[in-house]
Amino acid sequence: MSSLSRELVFLILQFLDEEKFKETVHKLEQDSGFFFNMRYFEDMVTNGEWDEVEKYLSGFTKVDDNRYSMKIFFEIRKQKYLEALDKRDRAKAVEILVKDLKVFSAFNEDLFKEITQLLTLENFRDNEQLSKYGDTKSARGIMLAELKKLIEANPLFRDKLQFPSLKNSRLRTLINQSLNWQHQLCKNPRANPDIKTLFVDHTCGQPNGARAPSPVTNPLMGAVPKAGAFPPLSAHGPFQPTPAALPTSLAGWMANPSPVPHPSPSAGPIALTAANNAAAILKRPRTPPTNNSAMDYQTADSEHVLKRSRPFGISDEVNNLSVNILPVAYTPQSLGQSSYSTDDLPKTVVMTLNQGSAVKSMDFHPVQQILLVVGTNMGDVMLWEVGSRERIAVKSFKVWELGACSMPLQASLSSDYTASVNRVMWSPDGTLFGVAYSKHIVHLYTYHGGDELRNHLEIEAHVGSVNDLAFSYPNKQLSVVTCGEDRVIKVWDAVTGTKQYIFEGHESPVYSICPHHKENIQFIFSTATDGKIKAWLYDNLGSRVDYDAPGHSSTMMAYSADGARLFSCGTNKEGESYLVEWNESEGAVKRTYHGLGKRSVGVVQFDTTKNRFLAAGDEFMIKFWDMDNVNLLASIDADGGLQASPCIRFNKEGILLAVSTNDNGIKILANADGIRLLRTVESRTFDASRVASAAIVKAPAIGTFGSANANVGTSLGERTAPAAAMVGMSNDSRNFTDVKPKIADEAVEKSRIWKLTEITEPSQCRSLRLPDNLTAMRVSRLIYTNSGLAILALASNAVHKLWKWPRNERNSTGKVLHFSF
């Protein structure tokens, strides 16, 4: 097969993946043998789909191709054999032995005999070499790690494990370019051609003297009207570019015309005038046109196409031309995403934090994942270090510059100088966080470690309550988005506090906002208390969407961490709650999740994690769903004491979950990784400034399950490392692609954990005179460093001192001595 033909296969694979033809994608991968989809392979192995595993492998290698291939097939068949024995299915085990494993007897007869003898044992774990075999799940995980190593080392898989780097929807782009070229060759090109097929070359019919036709519905585009297809054509030189495309994720939402008037575009040969339909307005370019006669087809891929699943009905430009018969879309390639189980959910209560007043909002730090900021109904804002269970900073509600406030706010405060926190939110990089209060005000605080929160900005953002707050980057500069009781959304410069945009159009108080971005396109979803959903671009031209939330509920919206899926959860006045996933391309509910109560108290809050799970606080419980399954996955009461509709929040990695209680507290729940993280923090001395990150990074367990002599071994451990800074730009400040934790060698880790040391010999002690002024404070802990070079005193008044040992008295034993006073 020629190189171009091979590349065409990759383009088709990309197209099929975008269109969700999953089975066809994997069949073509297997038949062509050009790309080995490791993620798909991992899923099949994890699920024990052994026949499908071997069938998929057969497209790339055979048992006797080389020693790597032989080892791969042997490990798979051996695992299948052991699982049959574990289930006491002797008949199945004999069948596997005869049909699948006997082929290896020609290469190692002794090994085959040893495997056969396992049939005589009541439990194959009685075999010394298999004594460490755990359960099926862990055994598959260990084997999978070994298989991945073998595949990567196998020369037959060389250049087949990495999908080529392609721009979004490359095949669609090429087809759009072809149609534009065909149209240029038309003798009488129409301004709005009606292209209904790709089976024959495009030609325009003879002109009849009539005006250019109005925008028509293109059957290939779905149900969304086509707002003008082709730009004016020039007989000399390349096409003149048209403006950049607008966000595709909003196009399908145009179920009803927007009540917000839009200016009409200037007349021109493109025949885009008189388009009163809001969908056509949305699809019409908004930015000023540019002239670049040197535009080349090689740069034709639009930089503004959006990442989402199977979008029909959107027009984006290719080569800055408006022809788009096949809408460009992007779905992340099915590469390398790890699978998860319910064991990954944080369900174990590890601590309770006493807040003192009812919790209204919480948010974990995007980098230092043991830092939790909390806002209460009394206006208090508290910063907790979950690892040490220490409240390290407190801010009570106080207007910083009362004289600069409006008269209505001053009058309100004079009669009642209290306010509730409606929302707290960290900025994406964690250097500041915002607080939205129930009275006009937004506060921004800076945080650079330690226990100091510095006042940064005070903004009188709205008249009445500020209902929500979020961060975004509309012009590659950090901004704060707010909404309020005055039915308005506003955008502020996060550095100066200057108002940048104001969006009006809601007929009821704006309940929540969800800024997001797709490629270069920044937009905001907003929801109101009357159940209306609107969407806005940063252009002051009005809303692009006017849609109803399920049940006309007060709704909050959130994207999954990778920004690919949109969810909302809300409760209406009758107490009916709805948790749904949206189809962005159609503006319709894609799936509705079951399990929420019929009569919820308050508005049900929810959160997402790991691009896989949803959680909501409802009926004094925490309820979990798999994003791909509408049925309830699990529910827990966290040992009781939760609010009826508790506030919940995951940390970025999804290993910790904070939930509010009815006695003004917060329960911290953790999974196994979260428990390991907290124990590590508790057992280690961390920097007193608390700047160091406590994030945990995980990676697949590495170990070998069996070899030629059928040995079984595991190597499980842990380590902690700083997390990367947040780079996402959506409402969820934890917008990362999920990373499974890395696991290091346990023996090395144990050597690093500092333990209390029993003093049995006088030689273990050293004397040191402390300064006289130290007696004025209570010393809560002395820590002797591992290097034996210094001693650190931690005092109750947060004043810490560090002394070095005299060189001739330095202890080389590396002991850690804790003294409590």
Side-chain angles (χ1 to χ4, degrees):
M1 182 177 289
S2 68
S3 175
L4 289 179
S5 297
R6 186 174 185 274
E7 291 180 0
L8 179 59
V9 172
F10 282 112
L11 294 177
I12 295 171
L13 283 173
Q14 184 194 43
F15 173 79
L16 292 173
D17 187 60
E18 291 168 348
E19 295 301 303
K20 305 299 183 183
F21 296 113
K22 297 299 184 183
E23 292 185 8
T24 309
V25 169
H26 302 314
K27 180 63 176 173
L28 180 56
E29 290 168 352
Q30 173 193 332
D31 288 345
S32 66
F34 290 157
F35 172 62
F36 184 82
N37 193 322
M38 187 64 81
R39 181 202 288 180
Y40 176 60
F41 179 76
E42 289 176 3
D43 289 342
M44 290 190 294
V45 171
T46 302
N47 296 328
E49 300 170 1
W50 306 120
D51 292 340
E52 292 301 318
V53 167
E54 289 208 23
K55 185 177 179 180
Y56 188 69
L57 277 171
S58 67
F60 303 88
T61 185
K62 300 294 186 290
V63 175
D64 56 355
D65 280 345
N66 57 42
R67 62 189 179 92
Y68 297 102
S69 299
M70 182 176 299
K71 175 69 169 171
I72 291 170
F73 281 96
F74 173 75
E75 293 294 326
I76 292 170
R77 295 175 184 183
K78 183 185 69 176
Q79 178 63 28
K80 182 166 60 169
Y81 176 66
L82 293 178
E83 289 184 14
L85 290 176
D86 208 21
K87 295 176 182 177
R88 303 291 195 273
D89 190 346
R90 299 303 175 102
K92 181 67 173 178
V94 171
E95 179 184 354
I96 295 171
L97 185 68
V98 174
K99 296 179 63 175
D100 296 334
L101 289 171
K102 188 172 178 59
V103 65
F104 300 103
S105 63
F107 304 96
N108 192 330
E109 187 174 355
D110 293 337
L111 175 61
F112 180 72
K113 290 179 179 179
E114 187 176 0
I115 292 176
T116 304
Q117 290 174 358
L118 296 178
L119 288 169
T120 64
L121 301 177
E122 183 66 23
N123 186 340
F124 64 82
R125 293 174 181 83
D126 294 338
N127 183 297
E128 181 180 357
Q129 296 174 341
L130 294 173
S131 60
K132 294 183 180 179
Y133 184 95
D135 57 16
T136 298
K137 179 181 176 182
S138 61
R140 288 177 182 174
I142 296 169
M143 181 194 65
L144 180 59
E146 180 71 12
L147 291 180
K148 291 171 68 175
K149 291 181 182 178
L150 292 169
I151 290 171
E152 291 168 357
N154 195 328
L156 295 177
F157 289 84
R158 189 169 297 137
D159 300 327
K160 296 181 180 181
L161 300 178
Q162 186 67 41
F163 199 86
S165 178
L166 303 176
K167 286 198 173 182
N168 305 337
S169 302
R170 180 61 182 161
L171 183 60
R172 296 171 181 270
T173 299
L174 294 174
I175 293 174
N176 288 334
Q177 291 174 356
S178 172
L179 292 172
N180 276 280
W181 181 254
Q182 292 173 27
H183 187 67
Q184 186 185 26
L185 298 178
C186 290
K187 294 182 179 179
N188 300 289
R190 293 182 179 180
N192 292 277
D194 186 9
I195 299 177
K196 297 182 178 179
T197 181
L198 299 177
F199 293 162
V200 297
D201 289 346
H202 162 70
T203 56
C204 290
Q206 294 296 325
N208 55 13
R211 293 175 59 189
S214 301
V216 295
T217 300
N218 190 325
L220 298 179
M221 291 277 288
V224 179
K226 183 184 178 81
F230 293 100
L233 302 176
S234 171
H236 307 284
F239 298 134
Q240 296 298 314
T242 59
L246 291 175
T248 59
S249 57
L250 304 183
W253 289 71
M254 306 306 295
N256 304 300
S258 171
V260 181
H262 298 278
S264 298
S266 57
I270 305 179
L272 289 179
T273 58
N276 296 321
N277 185 292
I281 294 293
L282 173 65
K283 294 166 61 177
R284 183 176 306 147
R286 295 282 184 191
T287 54
T290 58
N291 292 311
N292 180 11
S293 59
M295 177 63 68
D296 185 88
Y297 275 128
Q298 298 301 319
T299 63
D301 295 308
S302 171
E303 295 297 331
H304 303 288
V305 292
L306 309 181
K307 295 182 180 179
R308 58 181 176 80
S309 59
R310 201 168 187 178
F312 280 106
I314 186 60
S315 173
D316 52 19
E317 276 104 282
V318 177
N319 195 22
N320 284 338
L321 302 178
S322 297
V323 170
N324 280 285
I325 304 307
L326 295 178
V328 178
Y330 172 75
T331 301
Q333 292 296 333
S334 303
L335 302 175
Q337 179 174 339
S338 301
S339 58
Y340 297 101
S341 71
T342 54
D343 294 336
D344 294 299
L345 293 171
K347 296 185 289 186
T348 302
V349 178
V350 293
M351 69 181 69
T352 300
L353 308 175
N354 183 22
Q355 201 50 49
S357 50
V359 174
K360 297 286 288 183
S361 180
M362 301 181 290
D363 196 26
F364 278 98
H365 195 282
V367 179
Q368 301 181 53
Q369 293 190 62
I370 56 170
L371 290 183
L372 177 68
V373 63
V374 182
T376 75
N377 66 339
M378 298 302 293
D380 297 326
V381 178
M382 303 183 184
L383 185 61
W384 291 88
E385 189 175 71
V386 176
S388 62
R389 310 186 186 198
E390 180 183 359
R391 186 170 61 192
I392 60 177
V394 180
K395 290 285 185 179
S396 299
F397 173 72
K398 180 181 180 181
V399 177
W400 302 344
E401 297 184 28
L402 185 60
C405 295
S406 64
M407 293 307 298
L409 176 57
Q410 293 187 39
S412 174
L413 294 175
S414 64
S415 59
D416 181 15
Y417 199 90
T418 61
S420 171
V421 173
N422 286 333
R423 180 73 168 209
V424 292
M425 172 72 73
W426 285 101
S427 65
D429 62 1
T431 58
L432 58 84
F433 66 84
V435 185
Y437 291 100
S438 60
K439 289 185 178 179
H440 300 241
I441 292 293
V442 166
H443 281 165
L444 296 184
Y445 295 95
T446 59
Y447 178 73
H448 297 286
D451 54 7
E452 183 179 9
L453 296 179
R454 295 184 179 179
N455 298 352
H456 176 59
L457 282 178
E458 181 176 68
I459 303 172
E460 186 174 351
H462 296 272
V463 178
S465 175
V466 184
N467 292 334
D468 201 4
L469 168 148
F471 292 93
S472 68
Y473 285 87
N475 299 306
K476 298 183 179 180
Q477 183 176 354
L478 185 64
S479 297
V480 182
V481 186
T482 63
C483 66
E485 190 177 6
D486 55 4
R487 308 176 184 181
V488 175
I489 300 111
K490 296 180 181 180
V491 182
W492 314 83
D493 187 297
V495 177
T496 65
T498 304
K499 184 166 61 180
Q500 297 174 317
Y501 301 94
I502 181 169
F503 303 127
E504 299 176 297
H506 277 291
E507 298 177 358
S508 296
V510 185
Y511 179 74
S512 73
I513 45 179
C514 178
H516 196 57
H517 77 113
K518 298 282 191 175
E519 296 294 331
N520 305 27
I521 309 301
Q522 304 278 343
F523 55 93
I524 304 169
F525 279 115
S526 63
T527 68
T529 55
D530 60 359
K532 289 294 184 181
I533 298 175
K534 294 181 182 291
W536 318 79
L537 299 181
Y538 293 85
D539 55 9
N540 289 322
L541 293 179
S543 68
R544 303 311 207 267
V545 162
D546 186 0
Y547 212 73
D548 292 327
H552 297 276
S553 56
S554 295
T555 296
M556 296 190 70
M557 307 182 79
Y559 278 87
S560 56
D562 59 7
R565 303 173 70 172
L566 177 63
F567 303 90
S568 71
C569 183
T571 305
N572 61 19
K573 296 178 180 179
E574 289 74 34
E576 299 170 333
S577 297
Y578 302 86
L579 176 61
V580 304
E581 180 180 4
W582 292 91
N583 184 328
E584 285 186 279
S585 63
E586 298 177 4
V589 172
K590 182 177 181 179
R591 56 170 58 91
T592 300
Y593 298 92
H594 307 314
L596 291 177
K598 301 297 183 183
R599 288 292 180 266
S600 300
V601 178
V603 178
V604 172
Q605 298 192 40
F606 84 114
D607 201 2
T608 72
T609 186
K610 294 182 180 291
N611 298 317
R612 179 65 185 274
F613 297 114
L614 300 167
D618 182 42
E619 297 183 308
F620 306 95
M621 294 186 294
I622 308 168
K623 299 179 179 180
F624 299 96
W625 291 263
D626 185 306
M627 290 181 178
D628 297 323
N629 191 330
V630 298
N631 296 316
L632 189 65
L633 178 64
S635 61
I636 58 174
D637 63 1
D639 299 335
L642 301 185
Q643 293 176 328
S645 296
C647 175
I648 65 173
R649 190 66 167 172
F650 287 102
N651 74 341
K652 180 181 68 66
E653 292 290 345
I655 61 178
L656 299 177
L657 174 64
V659 56
S660 59
T661 66
N662 57 17
D663 59 353
N664 301 334
I666 301 169
K667 290 189 177 182
I668 304 297
L669 288 72
N671 62 11
D673 294 316
I675 293 172
R676 188 180 299 117
L677 169 64
L678 295 176
R679 286 177 178 171
T680 303
V681 173
E682 288 173 356
S683 64
R684 295 187 178 198
T685 301
F686 43 84
D687 185 358
S689 67
R690 297 184 181 90
V691 176
S693 169
I696 186 169
V697 183
K698 306 188 293 182
I702 298 175
T704 58
F705 169 46
S707 60
N709 59 3
N711 283 330
V712 179
T714 61
S715 176
L716 300 176
E718 65 191 68
R719 68 171 177 163
T720 58
M726 160 63 180
V727 294
M729 300 181 187
S730 71
N731 183 30
D732 190 337
S733 65
R734 304 154 303 148
N735 191 9
F736 282 88
T737 302
D738 289 287
V739 180
K740 290 294 286 181
K742 288 185 179 177
I743 299 175
D745 183 75
E746 186 175 17
V748 175
E749 179 59 21
K750 286 182 178 179
S751 70
R752 294 177 181 174
I753 297 178
W754 298 352
K755 298 180 179 180
L756 296 178
T757 302
E758 182 180 359
I759 301 175
T760 59
E761 298 293 337
S763 61
Q764 291 179 270
C765 299
R766 294 288 186 273
S767 62
L768 178 69
R769 175 157 182 91
L770 304 181
D772 294 336
N773 60 359
L774 189 62
T775 59
M777 60 187 174
R778 179 176 177 270
V779 179
S780 60
R781 178 172 289 185
L782 295 175
I783 300 171
Y784 180 39
T785 65
N786 252 9
S787 63
L789 303 182
I791 186 169
L792 176 67
L794 305 182
S796 58
N797 64 352
V799 177
H800 313 314
K801 292 187 178 295
L802 178 68
W803 296 274
K804 290 185 177 181
W805 284 101
R807 181 174 298 274
N808 59 350
E809 294 188 22
R810 289 178 180 174
N811 187 352
S812 60
T813 59
K815 301 291 184 182
V816 179
L817 312 177
H818 290 194
F819 300 89
S820 295
F821 294 86

